[in-house]
Amino acid sequence: MAKFVYVFTGAQPATTPEEQEQSMQAWGAWFATLGASVTDAGNPFGTSVTVSSSSVTDRGASGAGGYSIVEAESLHDAAAKAKGCPVLQGGGSVEVYEALAM
C-alpha cells in the first residue's frame, strides 16, 4: 500500500463550543470509518510564512487548514476514502497527494 497526504482547505473553523464538539465528533466518526488506513491523523495548521529565495513573507492563516496521512491502494482509492471527510460539509475540499517513496 502507498501513503497519501490529505491537505484540508477552505472550510470555516468551528467557533462555538457546541460547534467544536460537533466537529470533533464528526472527525472521530470519519477516522473510525478509515480504520487502520490512517497512519497519522495529522493536525490543524496555524499561521504560516512563505519562504522564497529572496524573502520570508508572513501570510497569517493560509488556505490549508491541516493534514492527515493514510494508506491506500491507489490515488483513486485514497480519493474515494476522502469523500466522507467532515471538511467537505463545511464547504472545504481535500487535496490528495501521493507521498512517493525515496
Side-chain angles (χ1 to χ4, degrees):
M1 287 234 236
K3 287 189 178 182
F4 296 86
V5 178
Y6 292 159
V7 177
F8 309 115
T9 63
Q12 296 299 318
T15 56
T16 67
E18 294 81 16
E19 290 174 341
Q20 291 169 349
E21 178 60 30
Q22 289 174 345
S23 177
M24 291 303 293
Q25 289 179 6
W27 281 93
W30 179 59
F31 281 125
T33 67
L34 298 176
S37 66
V38 178
T39 63
D40 181 349
N43 288 297
F45 295 142
T47 58
S48 66
V49 298
T50 299
V51 179
S52 70
S53 61
S54 61
S55 68
V56 175
T57 306
D58 184 5
R59 293 186 58 203
S62 74
Y67 78 97
S68 293
I69 300 173
V70 300
E71 289 183 327
E73 294 294 329
S74 67
L75 181 61
H76 294 289
D77 182 33
K81 290 180 180 191
K83 288 190 176 190
C85 180
V87 77
L88 302 175
Q89 296 162 356
S93 62
V94 181
E95 295 181 25
V96 183
Y97 297 92
E98 184 173 5
L100 301 175
M102 297 196 48

